[in-house]
Amino acid sequence: MRSAFPGSLGQDEKTYVEYGFARFLDADTNAVAVDEPLVLLAATHWIDKNYRTSYKLFAKQIQIHTPFTNGFENYIAFCLNLAFTQKQRLDKVFTFCGTPPCWSSQEAELVSVFRTHDGIEISPVRLSVDCGPSLTLGVNAKTTAETISWLSHDSPAPICFPHPSMGPDLVFVVRLKDGSTLWVVVQAKYSSGKNGTLSRPFLRRAMRSVTPSKFFIDKDGNPFAHATEPELVSKTLASFTDLPHRRRDVGTYSLLRVVASFPAQPGLKRCIEEDPDDQGHPIATLNMDLLKELTKKLSPVNFLDGLEKATSGPTAAKRSRKNSGLRTVPKKRLKI
């Protein structure tokens, strides 16, 4: 009535109300909220247009590793979307150990598999490098229930960062040119390795983490949270068999296992005789040379090449971990 604001409001809150962006939540006008749909839509549109490109954000955060996020996993997820947006051949994106399967020569695309009232819908994913932060590429499943929900196609997000105790860091589905589908599970290792190659212990753990028979099983063979969730392992594996149009020649669960490491090379062949999988699931490594090619003209230009050179060469061994850009920080995911 008197155009006077209560003293408990901040200057920004007063401005929001004055311009009609916010409203009072209580009769005493002590709290405000910005929840008008048109205001939120306009704000989202502005952020998408004025925010720096997503690629630059993920590149700058590639070494950030906290209990809440993993920069390398995020970067790999973004680049995989970039690769499959252009419908790359599967054997160009991944380097198979041994003779590549016949189906790997087909072009593939990243898809969203989402359950609707009319059944399960499969849609191609097309997110550009200029997309803003309002678009969702992945779901961070903090609980086992959220992981099972995504595996059961209850979310339209195409990529899942599953519960840490499951094993893999990323899970998604690709559709081949012939219309068949398969799961892809990825273990991402940001490591300088030893002499430019991922250490054998790291590699063995990575291979184990993407093997279906080891999902939600710890290194001692004990199921995760068996006392409170006795059916967790069986539910997880059953979800993989519920994929529409899944290929039957990609192992028991129609699943491709992938190890992605950088700047160290995986050196997968060194441990292939120790492969824990006995259900016919092929294993491959992520082709980082392809990612270099796809991203070399994006800002920051030639980012991966520069990062690789900074952690290799004759003087690399003399650098401290701080100067080389590799930081020792707690790992958010329980490696099993």
Side-chain angles (χ1 to χ4, degrees), residues 124-197:
V125 178
R126 298 286 187 268
L127 299 184
S128 72
V129 295
D130 296 319
C131 65
S134 64
L135 296 175
T136 300
L137 180 62
V139 167
N140 190 28
K142 298 178 181 179
T143 65
T144 57
E146 290 175 344
T147 300
I148 296 297
S149 177
W150 186 90
L151 291 173
S152 301
H153 318 304
D154 293 332
S155 169
I159 296 177
C160 177
F161 299 90
H163 186 278
S165 295
M166 178 178 171
D169 293 324
L170 290 84
V171 184
F172 56 93
V173 176
V174 295
R175 180 168 58 188
L176 302 183
K177 189 174 182 180
D178 65 5
S180 61
T181 60
L182 62 133
W183 298 93
V184 181
V185 295
V186 181
Q187 176 60 225
K189 293 287 189 183
Y190 186 71
S191 170
S192 57
K194 185 177 181 180
N195 298 323
T197 305

Side-chain angles (χ1 to χ4, degrees), residues 255-288:
L255 182 146
L256 170 63
R257 300 174 295 152
V258 176
V259 176
S261 68
F262 188 82
Q265 296 292 322
L268 189 58
K269 291 183 179 180
R270 294 173 299 153
C271 296
I272 198 61
E273 294 184 357
E274 303 174 60
D275 189 352
D277 182 76
D278 59 0
Q279 298 176 310
H281 302 106
I283 191 166
T285 58
L286 179 60
N287 183 1
M288 295 302 295

